[in-house]
PDB file of all heavy atoms in Angstrom:
ATOM      1  N   PRO A  22      33.942   1.884 -19.379  1.00 96.00           N
ATOM      2  CA  PRO A  22      33.694   1.012 -18.222  1.00 96.00           C
ATOM      3  C   PRO A  22      32.462   0.135 -18.455  1.00 96.00           C
ATOM      4  O   PRO A  22      31.571   0.489 -19.235  1.00 96.00           O
ATOM      5  CB  PRO A  22      33.429   1.993 -17.074  1.00 96.00           C
ATOM      6  CG  PRO A  22      33.857   3.333 -17.560  1.00 96.00           C
ATOM      7  CD  PRO A  22      33.863   3.298 -19.054  1.00 96.00           C
ATOM      8  N   MET A  23      32.413  -0.996 -17.769  1.00 97.00           N
ATOM      9  CA  MET A  23      31.286  -1.924 -17.943  1.00 97.00           C
ATOM     10  C   MET A  23      29.947  -1.255 -17.657  1.00 97.00           C
ATOM     11  O   MET A  23      28.960  -1.538 -18.328  1.00 97.00           O
ATOM     12  CB  MET A  23      31.438  -3.154 -17.052  1.00 97.00           C
ATOM     13  CG  MET A  23      32.533  -4.077 -17.470  1.00 97.00           C
ATOM     14  SD  MET A  23      32.304  -4.695 -19.144  1.00 97.00           S
ATOM     15  CE  MET A  23      33.954  -5.293 -19.442  1.00 97.00           C
ATOM     16  N   ALA A  24      29.909  -0.366 -16.665  1.00 97.00           N
ATOM     17  CA  ALA A  24      28.655   0.326 -16.344  1.00 97.00           C
ATOM     18  C   ALA A  24      28.178   1.145 -17.539  1.00 97.00           C
ATOM     19  O   ALA A  24      26.979   1.175 -17.843  1.00 97.00           O
ATOM     20  CB  ALA A  24      28.824   1.213 -15.119  1.00 97.00           C
ATOM     21  N   ALA A  25      29.093   1.792 -18.249  1.00 97.00           N
ATOM     22  CA  ALA A  25      28.730   2.588 -19.418  1.00 97.00           C
ATOM     23  C   ALA A  25      28.267   1.687 -20.565  1.00 97.00           C
ATOM     24  O   ALA A  25      27.290   1.993 -21.247  1.00 97.00           O
ATOM     25  CB  ALA A  25      29.903   3.456 -19.860  1.00 97.00           C
ATOM     26  N   VAL A  26      28.960   0.584 -20.774  1.00 98.00           N
ATOM     27  CA  VAL A  26      28.565  -0.360 -21.823  1.00 98.00           C
ATOM     28  C   VAL A  26      27.164  -0.895 -21.529  1.00 98.00           C
ATOM     29  O   VAL A  26      26.300  -0.918 -22.407  1.00 98.00           O
ATOM     30  CB  VAL A  26      29.578  -1.524 -21.948  1.00 98.00           C
ATOM     31  CG1 VAL A  26      29.078  -2.581 -22.922  1.00 98.00           C
ATOM     32  CG2 VAL A  26      30.943  -1.005 -22.380  1.00 98.00           C
ATOM     33  N   ALA A  27      26.931  -1.280 -20.288  1.00 98.00           N
ATOM     34  CA  ALA A  27      25.621  -1.815 -19.901  1.00 98.00           C
ATOM     35  C   ALA A  27      24.525  -0.777 -20.113  1.00 98.00           C
ATOM     36  O   ALA A  27      23.465  -1.079 -20.669  1.00 98.00           O
ATOM     37  CB  ALA A  27      25.652  -2.269 -18.441  1.00 98.00           C
ATOM     38  N   ARG A  28      24.772   0.428 -19.673  1.00 98.00           N
ATOM     39  CA  ARG A  28      23.770   1.493 -19.787  1.00 98.00           C
ATOM     40  C   ARG A  28      23.489   1.828 -21.247  1.00 98.00           C
ATOM     41  O   ARG A  28      22.336   1.926 -21.662  1.00 98.00           O
ATOM     42  CB  ARG A  28      24.256   2.729 -19.029  1.00 98.00           C
ATOM     43  CG  ARG A  28      23.246   3.835 -18.896  1.00 98.00           C
ATOM     44  CD  ARG A  28      23.769   5.000 -18.063  1.00 98.00           C
ATOM     45  NE  ARG A  28      25.021   5.551 -18.572  1.00 98.00           N
ATOM     46  CZ  ARG A  28      26.222   5.389 -17.978  1.00 98.00           C
ATOM     47  NH1 ARG A  28      26.342   4.697 -16.875  1.00 98.00           N
ATOM     48  NH2 ARG A  28      27.304   5.930 -18.511  1.00 98.00           N
ATOM     49  N   ARG A  29      24.526   1.968 -22.048  1.00 98.00           N
ATOM     50  CA  ARG A  29      24.360   2.381 -23.450  1.00 98.00           C
ATOM     51  C   ARG A  29      23.738   1.300 -24.325  1.00 98.00           C
ATOM     52  O   ARG A  29      23.216   1.605 -25.398  1.00 98.00           O
ATOM     53  CB  ARG A  29      25.704   2.807 -24.021  1.00 98.00           C
ATOM     54  CG  ARG A  29      26.202   4.087 -23.411  1.00 98.00           C
ATOM     55  CD  ARG A  29      27.549   4.473 -23.950  1.00 98.00           C
ATOM     56  NE  ARG A  29      28.046   5.640 -23.238  1.00 98.00           N
ATOM     57  CZ  ARG A  29      29.319   5.927 -23.096  1.00 98.00           C
ATOM     58  NH1 ARG A  29      30.249   5.142 -23.638  1.00 98.00           N
ATOM     59  NH2 ARG A  29      29.688   6.984 -22.425  1.00 98.00           N
ATOM     60  N   THR A  30      23.821   0.064 -23.896  1.00 98.00           N
ATOM     61  CA  THR A  30      23.255  -1.021 -24.702  1.00 98.00           C
ATOM     62  C   THR A  30      21.924  -1.526 -24.162  1.00 98.00           C
ATOM     63  O   THR A  30      21.373  -2.501 -24.672  1.00 98.00           O
ATOM     64  CB  THR A  30      24.250  -2.195 -24.824  1.00 98.00           C
ATOM     65  OG1 THR A  30      24.608  -2.648 -23.511  1.00 98.00           O
ATOM     66  CG2 THR A  30      25.488  -1.781 -25.600  1.00 98.00           C
ATOM     67  N   GLY A  31      21.403  -0.855 -23.137  1.00 97.00           N
ATOM     68  CA  GLY A  31      20.075  -1.174 -22.643  1.00 97.00           C
ATOM     69  C   GLY A  31      20.006  -2.216 -21.555  1.00 97.00           C
ATOM     70  O   GLY A  31      18.912  -2.607 -21.152  1.00 97.00           O
ATOM     71  N   PHE A  32      21.145  -2.685 -21.058  1.00 97.00           N
ATOM     72  CA  PHE A  32      21.114  -3.670 -19.986  1.00 97.00           C
ATOM     73  C   PHE A  32      20.894  -3.021 -18.625  1.00 97.00           C
ATOM     74  O   PHE A  32      20.429  -3.672 -17.709  1.00 97.00           O
ATOM     75  CB  PHE A  32      22.388  -4.522 -19.974  1.00 97.00           C
ATOM     76  CG  PHE A  32      22.414  -5.520 -21.091  1.00 97.00           C
ATOM     77  CD1 PHE A  32      23.235  -5.332 -22.198  1.00 97.00           C
ATOM     78  CD2 PHE A  32      21.609  -6.649 -21.052  1.00 97.00           C
ATOM     79  CE1 PHE A  32      23.254  -6.247 -23.231  1.00 97.00           C
ATOM     80  CE2 PHE A  32      21.621  -7.569 -22.082  1.00 97.00           C
ATOM     81  CZ  PHE A  32      22.442  -7.366 -23.172  1.00 97.00           C
ATOM     82  N   GLY A  33      21.246  -1.777 -18.491  1.00 95.00           N
ATOM     83  CA  GLY A  33      20.971  -1.046 -17.263  1.00 95.00           C
ATOM     84  C   GLY A  33      22.028  -1.158 -16.191  1.00 95.00           C
ATOM     85  O   GLY A  33      22.352  -0.178 -15.542  1.00 95.00           O
ATOM     86  N   SER A  34      22.585  -2.332 -15.994  1.00 97.00           N
ATOM     87  CA  SER A  34      23.593  -2.498 -14.951  1.00 97.00           C
ATOM     88  C   SER A  34      24.658  -3.489 -15.423  1.00 97.00           C
ATOM     89  O   SER A  34      24.381  -4.350 -16.271  1.00 97.00           O
ATOM     90  CB  SER A  34      22.958  -3.026 -13.660  1.00 97.00           C
ATOM     91  OG  SER A  34      22.590  -4.382 -13.801  1.00 97.00           O
ATOM     92  N   PRO A  35      25.858  -3.386 -14.862  1.00 97.00           N
ATOM     93  CA  PRO A  35      26.901  -4.349 -15.217  1.00 97.00           C
ATOM     94  C   PRO A  35      26.499  -5.788 -14.889  1.00 97.00           C
ATOM     95  O   PRO A  35      26.849  -6.717 -15.616  1.00 97.00           O
ATOM     96  CB  PRO A  35      28.102  -3.914 -14.376  1.00 97.00           C
ATOM     97  CG  PRO A  35      27.863  -2.467 -14.094  1.00 97.00           C
ATOM     98  CD  PRO A  35      26.369  -2.322 -13.994  1.00 97.00           C
ATOM     99  N   GLU A  36      25.733  -5.970 -13.827  1.00 98.00           N
ATOM    100  CA  GLU A  36      25.288  -7.316 -13.449  1.00 98.00           C
ATOM    101  C   GLU A  36      24.360  -7.907 -14.510  1.00 98.00           C
ATOM    102  O   GLU A  36      24.495  -9.075 -14.877  1.00 98.00           O
ATOM    103  CB  GLU A  36      24.593  -7.296 -12.087  1.00 98.00           C
ATOM    104  CG  GLU A  36      24.064  -8.638 -11.648  1.00 98.00           C
ATOM    105  CD  GLU A  36      25.123  -9.720 -11.490  1.00 98.00           C
ATOM    106  OE1 GLU A  36      26.312  -9.394 -11.302  1.00 98.00           O
ATOM    107  OE2 GLU A  36      24.770 -10.909 -11.585  1.00 98.00           O
ATOM    108  N   SER A  37      23.440  -7.113 -15.033  1.00 97.00           N
ATOM    109  CA  SER A  37      22.553  -7.595 -16.101  1.00 97.00           C
ATOM    110  C   SER A  37      23.348  -7.930 -17.357  1.00 97.00           C
ATOM    111  O   SER A  37      23.085  -8.939 -18.019  1.00 97.00           O
ATOM    112  CB  SER A  37      21.491  -6.551 -16.430  1.00 97.00           C
ATOM    113  OG  SER A  37      20.637  -6.360 -15.344  1.00 97.00           O
ATOM    114  N   LEU A  38      24.331  -7.100 -17.682  1.00 98.00           N
ATOM    115  CA  LEU A  38      25.200  -7.360 -18.829  1.00 98.00           C
ATOM    116  C   LEU A  38      25.990  -8.648 -18.609  1.00 98.00           C
ATOM    117  O   LEU A  38      26.102  -9.477 -19.508  1.00 98.00           O
ATOM    118  CB  LEU A  38      26.154  -6.187 -19.066  1.00 98.00           C
ATOM    119  CG  LEU A  38      27.226  -6.373 -20.129  1.00 98.00           C
ATOM    120  CD1 LEU A  38      26.615  -6.664 -21.491  1.00 98.00           C
ATOM    121  CD2 LEU A  38      28.130  -5.145 -20.186  1.00 98.00           C
ATOM    122  N   ARG A  39      26.513  -8.838 -17.392  1.00 98.00           N
ATOM    123  CA  ARG A  39      27.285 -10.042 -17.091  1.00 98.00           C
ATOM    124  C   ARG A  39      26.423 -11.299 -17.242  1.00 98.00           C
ATOM    125  O   ARG A  39      26.840 -12.283 -17.852  1.00 98.00           O
ATOM    126  CB  ARG A  39      27.868  -9.978 -15.681  1.00 98.00           C
ATOM    127  CG  ARG A  39      28.823 -11.149 -15.387  1.00 98.00           C
ATOM    128  CD  ARG A  39      29.160 -11.253 -13.926  1.00 98.00           C
ATOM    129  NE  ARG A  39      28.001 -11.555 -13.103  1.00 98.00           N
ATOM    130  CZ  ARG A  39      27.426 -12.762 -13.012  1.00 98.00           C
ATOM    131  NH1 ARG A  39      27.891 -13.771 -13.702  1.00 98.00           N
ATOM    132  NH2 ARG A  39      26.385 -12.942 -12.238  1.00 98.00           N
ATOM    133  N   ARG A  40      25.208 -11.267 -16.715  1.00 98.00           N
ATOM    134  CA  ARG A  40      24.321 -12.430 -16.824  1.00 98.00           C
ATOM    135  C   ARG A  40      23.979 -12.744 -18.281  1.00 98.00           C
ATOM    136  O   ARG A  40      24.007 -13.900 -18.702  1.00 98.00           O
ATOM    137  CB  ARG A  40      23.050 -12.215 -16.013  1.00 98.00           C
ATOM    138  CG  ARG A  40      23.246 -12.375 -14.524  1.00 98.00           C
ATOM    139  CD  ARG A  40      21.922 -12.473 -13.775  1.00 98.00           C
ATOM    140  NE  ARG A  40      20.986 -11.405 -14.086  1.00 98.00           N
ATOM    141  CZ  ARG A  40      20.829 -10.293 -13.371  1.00 98.00           C
ATOM    142  NH1 ARG A  40      21.560 -10.095 -12.292  1.00 98.00           N
ATOM    143  NH2 ARG A  40      19.946  -9.392 -13.738  1.00 98.00           N
ATOM    144  N   ALA A  41      23.665 -11.706 -19.048  1.00 98.00           N
ATOM    145  CA  ALA A  41      23.322 -11.914 -20.462  1.00 98.00           C
ATOM    146  C   ALA A  41      24.533 -12.426 -21.251  1.00 98.00           C
ATOM    147  O   ALA A  41      24.398 -13.309 -22.102  1.00 98.00           O
ATOM    148  CB  ALA A  41      22.800 -10.622 -21.075  1.00 98.00           C
ATOM    149  N   SER A  42      25.701 -11.883 -20.955  1.00 98.00           N
ATOM    150  CA  SER A  42      26.915 -12.306 -21.647  1.00 98.00           C
ATOM    151  C   SER A  42      27.233 -13.766 -21.343  1.00 98.00           C
ATOM    152  O   SER A  42      27.548 -14.549 -22.243  1.00 98.00           O
ATOM    153  CB  SER A  42      28.088 -11.412 -21.227  1.00 98.00           C
ATOM    154  OG  SER A  42      29.279 -11.826 -21.846  1.00 98.00           O
ATOM    155  N   THR A  43      27.120 -14.129 -20.095  1.00 97.00           N
ATOM    156  CA  THR A  43      27.384 -15.512 -19.704  1.00 97.00           C
ATOM    157  C   THR A  43      26.369 -16.450 -20.359  1.00 97.00           C
ATOM    158  O   THR A  43      26.732 -17.524 -20.856  1.00 97.00           O
ATOM    159  CB  THR A  43      27.348 -15.650 -18.173  1.00 97.00           C
ATOM    160  OG1 THR A  43      28.323 -14.767 -17.611  1.00 97.00           O
ATOM    161  CG2 THR A  43      27.661 -17.063 -17.734  1.00 97.00           C
ATOM    162  N   ARG A  44      25.123 -16.045 -20.407  1.00 96.00           N
ATOM    163  CA  ARG A  44      24.066 -16.856 -21.007  1.00 96.00           C
ATOM    164  C   ARG A  44      24.261 -16.994 -22.524  1.00 96.00           C
ATOM    165  O   ARG A  44      24.093 -18.066 -23.095  1.00 96.00           O
ATOM    166  CB  ARG A  44      22.708 -16.219 -20.700  1.00 96.00           C
ATOM    167  CG  ARG A  44      21.518 -16.960 -21.211  1.00 96.00           C
ATOM    168  CD  ARG A  44      20.174 -16.398 -20.717  1.00 96.00           C
ATOM    169  NE  ARG A  44      20.053 -14.944 -20.750  1.00 96.00           N
ATOM    170  CZ  ARG A  44      20.054 -14.156 -19.658  1.00 96.00           C
ATOM    171  NH1 ARG A  44      20.189 -14.670 -18.456  1.00 96.00           N
ATOM    172  NH2 ARG A  44      19.935 -12.853 -19.779  1.00 96.00           N
ATOM    173  N   ASN A  45      24.625 -15.899 -23.194  1.00 95.00           N
ATOM    174  CA  ASN A  45      24.700 -15.892 -24.664  1.00 95.00           C
ATOM    175  C   ASN A  45      26.057 -16.285 -25.218  1.00 95.00           C
ATOM    176  O   ASN A  45      26.138 -16.883 -26.294  1.00 95.00           O
ATOM    177  CB  ASN A  45      24.328 -14.506 -25.196  1.00 95.00           C
ATOM    178  CG  ASN A  45      22.868 -14.207 -25.038  1.00 95.00           C
ATOM    179  OD1 ASN A  45      22.050 -14.708 -25.791  1.00 95.00           O
ATOM    180  ND2 ASN A  45      22.516 -13.405 -24.049  1.00 95.00           N
ATOM    181  N   LEU A  46      27.121 -15.906 -24.526  1.00 96.00           N
ATOM    182  CA  LEU A  46      28.465 -16.127 -25.057  1.00 96.00           C
ATOM    183  C   LEU A  46      29.269 -17.159 -24.275  1.00 96.00           C
ATOM    184  O   LEU A  46      30.309 -17.614 -24.735  1.00 96.00           O
ATOM    185  CB  LEU A  46      29.246 -14.799 -25.067  1.00 96.00           C
ATOM    186  CG  LEU A  46      28.575 -13.633 -25.790  1.00 96.00           C
ATOM    187  CD1 LEU A  46      29.396 -12.362 -25.599  1.00 96.00           C
ATOM    188  CD2 LEU A  46      28.381 -13.946 -27.257  1.00 96.00           C
ATOM    189  N   GLY A  47      28.825 -17.441 -23.060  1.00 97.00           N
ATOM    190  CA  GLY A  47      29.543 -18.405 -22.233  1.00 97.00           C
ATOM    191  C   GLY A  47      30.719 -17.817 -21.470  1.00 97.00           C
ATOM    192  O   GLY A  47      31.446 -18.550 -20.807  1.00 97.00           O
ATOM    193  N   ILE A  48      30.922 -16.500 -21.572  1.00 97.00           N
ATOM    194  CA  ILE A  48      31.998 -15.830 -20.842  1.00 97.00           C
ATOM    195  C   ILE A  48      31.507 -14.469 -20.357  1.00 97.00           C
ATOM    196  O   ILE A  48      30.529 -13.929 -20.866  1.00 97.00           O
ATOM    197  CB  ILE A  48      33.278 -15.649 -21.701  1.00 97.00           C
ATOM    198  CG1 ILE A  48      32.992 -14.839 -22.969  1.00 97.00           C
ATOM    199  CG2 ILE A  48      33.891 -16.985 -22.046  1.00 97.00           C
ATOM    200  CD1 ILE A  48      34.233 -14.532 -23.788  1.00 97.00           C
ATOM    201  N   THR A  49      32.216 -13.912 -19.391  1.00 97.00           N
ATOM    202  CA  THR A  49      31.855 -12.602 -18.865  1.00 97.00           C
ATOM    203  C   THR A  49      32.251 -11.505 -19.854  1.00 97.00           C
ATOM    204  O   THR A  49      33.105 -11.727 -20.724  1.00 97.00           O
ATOM    205  CB  THR A  49      32.567 -12.335 -17.528  1.00 97.00           C
ATOM    206  OG1 THR A  49      33.979 -12.279 -17.763  1.00 97.00           O
ATOM    207  CG2 THR A  49      32.232 -13.407 -16.491  1.00 97.00           C
ATOM    208  N   PRO A  50      31.676 -10.315 -19.714  1.00 97.00           N
ATOM    209  CA  PRO A  50      32.059  -9.214 -20.606  1.00 97.00           C
ATOM    210  C   PRO A  50      33.550  -8.858 -20.508  1.00 97.00           C
ATOM    211  O   PRO A  50      34.181  -8.555 -21.518  1.00 97.00           O
ATOM    212  CB  PRO A  50      31.195  -8.047 -20.139  1.00 97.00           C
ATOM    213  CG  PRO A  50      30.079  -8.650 -19.377  1.00 97.00           C
ATOM    214  CD  PRO A  50      30.585  -9.935 -18.817  1.00 97.00           C
ATOM    215  N   GLY A  51      34.094  -8.916 -19.302  1.00 96.00           N
ATOM    216  CA  GLY A  51      35.521  -8.621 -19.135  1.00 96.00           C
ATOM    217  C   GLY A  51      36.399  -9.624 -19.864  1.00 96.00           C
ATOM    218  O   GLY A  51      37.391  -9.260 -20.510  1.00 96.00           O
ATOM    219  N   ALA A  52      36.042 -10.895 -19.783  1.00 97.00           N
ATOM    220  CA  ALA A  52      36.794 -11.931 -20.496  1.00 97.00           C
ATOM    221  C   ALA A  52      36.635 -11.766 -21.998  1.00 97.00           C
ATOM    222  O   ALA A  52      37.591 -11.943 -22.760  1.00 97.00           O
ATOM    223  CB  ALA A  52      36.320 -13.314 -20.054  1.00 97.00           C
ATOM    224  N   TYR A  53      35.431 -11.409 -22.431  1.00 97.00           N
ATOM    225  CA  TYR A  53      35.197 -11.171 -23.864  1.00 97.00           C
ATOM    226  C   TYR A  53      36.075 -10.030 -24.357  1.00 97.00           C
ATOM    227  O   TYR A  53      36.726 -10.137 -25.392  1.00 97.00           O
ATOM    228  CB  TYR A  53      33.717 -10.861 -24.125  1.00 97.00           C
ATOM    229  CG  TYR A  53      33.418 -10.695 -25.591  1.00 97.00           C
ATOM    230  CD1 TYR A  53      33.060 -11.785 -26.358  1.00 97.00           C
ATOM    231  CD2 TYR A  53      33.514  -9.450 -26.208  1.00 97.00           C
ATOM    232  CE1 TYR A  53      32.808 -11.651 -27.714  1.00 97.00           C
ATOM    233  CE2 TYR A  53      33.269  -9.301 -27.559  1.00 97.00           C
ATOM    234  CZ  TYR A  53      32.918 -10.406 -28.307  1.00 97.00           C
ATOM    235  OH  TYR A  53      32.689 -10.256 -29.655  1.00 97.00           O
ATOM    236  N   ARG A  54      36.104  -8.935 -23.587  1.00 96.00           N
ATOM    237  CA  ARG A  54      36.915  -7.781 -23.970  1.00 96.00           C
ATOM    238  C   ARG A  54      38.388  -8.161 -24.047  1.00 96.00           C
ATOM    239  O   ARG A  54      39.079  -7.796 -25.006  1.00 96.00           O
ATOM    240  CB  ARG A  54      36.726  -6.642 -22.972  1.00 96.00           C
ATOM    241  CG  ARG A  54      37.630  -5.464 -23.252  1.00 96.00           C
ATOM    242  CD  ARG A  54      37.382  -4.340 -22.299  1.00 96.00           C
ATOM    243  NE  ARG A  54      36.339  -3.492 -22.851  1.00 96.00           N
ATOM    244  CZ  ARG A  54      35.738  -2.530 -22.193  1.00 96.00           C
ATOM    245  NH1 ARG A  54      36.027  -2.296 -20.929  1.00 96.00           N
ATOM    246  NH2 ARG A  54      34.820  -1.796 -22.778  1.00 96.00           N
ATOM    247  N   ALA A  55      38.873  -8.886 -23.072  1.00 94.00           N
ATOM    248  CA  ALA A  55      40.286  -9.284 -23.060  1.00 94.00           C
ATOM    249  C   ALA A  55      40.628 -10.170 -24.260  1.00 94.00           C
ATOM    250  O   ALA A  55      41.711 -10.063 -24.824  1.00 94.00           O
ATOM    251  CB  ALA A  55      40.605 -10.016 -21.759  1.00 94.00           C
ATOM    252  N   ARG A  56      39.700 -11.000 -24.649  1.00 94.00           N
ATOM    253  CA  ARG A  56      39.951 -11.941 -25.729  1.00 94.00           C
ATOM    254  C   ARG A  56      39.793 -11.330 -27.114  1.00 94.00           C
ATOM    255  O   ARG A  56      40.524 -11.678 -28.044  1.00 94.00           O
ATOM    256  CB  ARG A  56      39.005 -13.131 -25.604  1.00 94.00           C
ATOM    257  CG  ARG A  56      39.340 -14.256 -26.563  1.00 94.00           C
ATOM    258  CD  ARG A  56      38.460 -15.458 -26.367  1.00 94.00           C
ATOM    259  NE  ARG A  56      38.658 -16.005 -25.037  1.00 94.00           N
ATOM    260  CZ  ARG A  56      37.917 -16.973 -24.508  1.00 94.00           C
ATOM    261  NH1 ARG A  56      36.920 -17.480 -25.201  1.00 94.00           N
ATOM    262  NH2 ARG A  56      38.154 -17.428 -23.302  1.00 94.00           N
TER     263      ARG A  56
END
């Protein structure tokens, strides 16, 4: 789950992971995973 990915990679929350992903990759983590 996104919460586990965020926690294990040091982002702490799915929202922090989403913001970083959008900033760095231009897409959300869910879209990245699907693609």
Side-chain angles (χ1 to χ4, degrees):
M23 290 301 164
V26 173
R28 188 177 56 252
R29 291 178 186 154
T30 57
F32 286 106
S34 72
E36 178 61 23
S37 295
L38 173 59
R39 187 192 64 76
R40 284 193 308 264
S42 178
T43 302
R44 182 172 44 252
N45 289 284
L46 306 174
I48 58 175
T49 64
Y53 184 89
R54 175 177 271 170
R56 189 176 297 172

